[in-house]
Amino acid sequence: MKKIDIKTTDQEKIVGTYARYDMVADHGKGAVCVDEEGKEYIDFTAGIGVNSLGFCDDGWVRAVTKQLKKLQHVSNLFYTEPQTRVAEILTARTGLCKVFFSNSGAEANEVAIKAARKYSNNKYGNDINWITTLENSFHGRTMAAITATGQENYHKDFYPFLGNFSYCKPDDIDDLHKSINDKTCAIMLEVVQGEGGVVNLNKEFLQEVESLCRQKDMLLIVDEVQTGIGRTGTLFAYEQYGIKPDIVTFAKGIGGGLPIGGALFGEKVCDVLGPGSHGTTYGGNPVACAGALEVLDRMDDAFLKGVAEKGEYMKKKLNAIPAVVSISGLGLMLGVEIKGKEAKTAVAEALKKGLMSLTAKDKIRLLPPLTITYEEIDKGLKILEDVLK
Ligand SMILES: *Cc1c(COP(=O)(O)O)cnc(C)c1O
């Protein structure tokens, strides 16, 4: 292959939807990424919460390559063992009943929206189809998922959207009551709003949402695409709020780096979608599922407790940095409000010094791999501290 200038060619040949950071990633191991010039970076991004076991974890590579040599794809017209096993584990660990597998978070939310509308259509007739989501939420980039996303900047160039969505201010119980009507079939939310700036919702609000859903037979859909699969110190974040969703969507962290997502359905909804009502060619692909099996297998109670402890440790150290104003989030999903410079600038400067990190709104967002060591955490935080001086 002839040598190419990756940055220039990328900018010429790839649609410019991403404002990429100034780094060409070449390879990685654990929480360390190496660029094309051989420079090392501590990774506080995990590929936006995807590489839960870090880069190229040995067990994960073994599991994935083993499946890759056996059967890479066969379509959902046939049964496969890895997909069945992932479903078995997810349902056993959540008490929910059935899974639909997709390839991404947006697609996971699509099926959740379709299932919610079909549930109510079946039961009450075709006009019970309104869905309430929250302002400042993020549910993905497909047309239904951006309709659900309660942020005008994602909407502005793409009208018209799906009808019959309404938006509620997070943590505002009065507004919650105003945002539903007698045609509402579901309420959909993230328990910690990720892209919205790592905003934790409060427990009373979530419990009010749940109780309203029960009273009015609306479905509670929790989007755990970012918060799920161990990220917050429990398998799913909703577990920490004492609520029981009817539908839980997941994606990012489950495949350990391979594209897979899905929706878990509780008792009420698990038989709503029958043959022909929904589908996808790749969803629950056996190689991605082999990766997911390794991720889930590693995520036992001790591992999850470790995630919570590392999160507390990071919070404590971050709090000691004078430029840090506040810290939000749960487990290893942290939002850091800073003063003195913009988060965007701090993240770019940190990258130059060897730390990969993210922003969410005007905060620095940290989503390290769940397997990160304390030594790596210290190294990364030292860089952040230098940048924030
Ligand atoms: C990332 C994200 C999505 C979208 O996932 P994609 O895989 O990018 O489609 C949806 N919901 C939440 C909460 C997310 O963080």
Side-chain angles (χ1 to χ4, degrees), residues 104-106 109 138-140 190 223 225-226 252:
S104 67
N109 289 329
F138 182 80
H139 298 294
E190 306 151 87
D223 177 347
V225 170
Q226 191 158 153
K252 293 190 167 89

Side-chain angles (χ1 to χ4, degrees), residues 48 103-109 137-142 145 149 188 190 192-195 223-227 249 251-252 260 333 365:
I48 323 187
N103 310 286
S104 67
E107 286 175 61
N109 289 329
S137 59
F138 182 80
H139 298 294
R141 304 288 199 149
T142 59
T149 294
M188 176 170 175
E190 306 151 87
V192 180
Q193 296 184 319
E195 304 301 312
D223 177 347
E224 293 256 10
V225 170
Q226 191 158 153
T227 49
T249 59
K252 293 190 167 89
I260 170 173
M333 174 175 176
R365 176 173 43 154

